[in-house]
């Protein structure tokens, strides 16, 4: 696989590692794998990502809870701090934000446990995820948050190929236009599959499993 990096215009610590090939996610087939492993796990990079995302919200925004998907908890904690420092207010009694993550049941549905529901119910919730390829995961998360009584205050991702989901803008550092030729396909309409090209890897929240 051919791999290269794309620098963020906002901070030189933020670099998007991209590999070209034929990959499958849970909702689509893609021609580029976006590797966000170090951005999510390395403290200096995670903080830089959080600060960059925080600049996309105005001081009148209210955020009570940040819901993190796909191992975005480290960035979520830094984002809560960055939003607070930038003037974003929380309506929680203790004056600070919750940072939490949903459970995934055996049917692939997102749920919150009983002790976490108070962090969602009647709260202004910012949804944070690493990538938004088709908007399917965001739609599922919005449905879950609203089911438990939360209100979407914002949606943020490191990389997105969609501009809006469910009437909500998707804020991000990188866009599909930053990766020349980036494309996402329904698995039944994938031109690589139709041409008999085998998958290079399976992409999940934990990263990539290469197929030899």
């Amino acid at each position: 696989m051919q791999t290269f990096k794309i620098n963020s215009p906002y901070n030189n610590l933020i670099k998007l590692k991209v590999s070209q090939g034929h990959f499958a996610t849970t909702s689509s087939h893609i021609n580029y794998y976006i590797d966000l492993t170090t951005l999510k796990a390395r403290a200096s990079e995670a903080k830089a990502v959080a600060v960059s995302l925080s600049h996309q919200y105005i001081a009148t925004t209210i955020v009570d809870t940040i819901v993190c998907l796909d191992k975005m908890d480290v960035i979520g904690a830094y984002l809560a701090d960055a939003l607070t420092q930038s003037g974003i207010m929380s309506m929680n009694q203790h004056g600070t934000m919750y940072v939490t993550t949903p459970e995934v049941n055996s049917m692939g549905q997102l749920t919150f446990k009983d002790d976490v529901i108070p962090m969602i119910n009647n709260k202004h919730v910012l949804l944070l995820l690493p990538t938004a390829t088709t908007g399917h995961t965001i739609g599922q998360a919005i449905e879950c948050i609203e089911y438990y009584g939360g209100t979407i205050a914002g949606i943020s991702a490191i990389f997105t190929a969609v501009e809006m989901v469910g009437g909500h803008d998707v804020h991000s550092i990188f866009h599909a236009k930053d990766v020349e030729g980036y494309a996402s396909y329904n698995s039944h309409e994938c031109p690589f599959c139709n041409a008999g090209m085998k998958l290079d890897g399976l992409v999940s929240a934990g990263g990539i499993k290469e197929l030899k």
Side-chain angles (χ1 to χ4, degrees), residues 56-136:
Q56 300 174 356
Y57 293 93
I58 58 176
T60 54
T61 304
I62 298 173
V63 177
D64 301 314
T65 301
I66 298 176
V67 169
C68 305
L69 300 184
D70 297 345
K71 301 184 178 181
M72 289 287 282
D73 307 70
V74 175
I75 293 176
Y78 281 122
L79 181 57
D81 185 59
L83 288 172
T84 302
Q85 291 188 29
S86 68
I88 302 298
M89 300 299 294
S90 167
M91 300 297 288
N92 296 325
Q93 289 184 349
H94 43 69
T96 189
M97 299 174 193
Y98 293 111
V99 180
T100 189
T101 187
E103 301 285 320
V104 182
N105 65 21
S106 59
M107 298 179 65
Q109 298 170 319
L110 300 179
T111 63
F112 290 102
K113 289 187 175 179
D114 291 348
D115 53 351
V116 177
I117 291 176
M119 303 180 193
I120 307 298
N121 188 39
N122 292 321
K123 303 296 184 183
H124 300 85
V125 180
L126 191 156
L127 177 62
L128 178 64
L129 66 164
T131 62
T133 304
T134 64
H136 173 78

Side-chain angles (χ1 to χ4, degrees), residues 17-39:
K17 186 178 179 181
V18 180
S19 297
Q20 189 172 16
H22 178 202
F23 309 98
T25 72
T26 56
S27 58
S28 66
H29 283 204
I30 50 179
N31 61 342
Y32 284 97
Y33 164 55
I34 310 295
D35 184 359
L36 304 175
T37 305
T38 59
L39 289 181

Side-chain angles (χ1 to χ4, degrees), residues 120 141-152 166 168:
I120 307 298
I142 291 174
E143 182 179 356
C144 172
I145 290 167
E146 292 181 342
Y147 174 82
Y148 286 99
T151 299
I152 302 298
H168 302 280

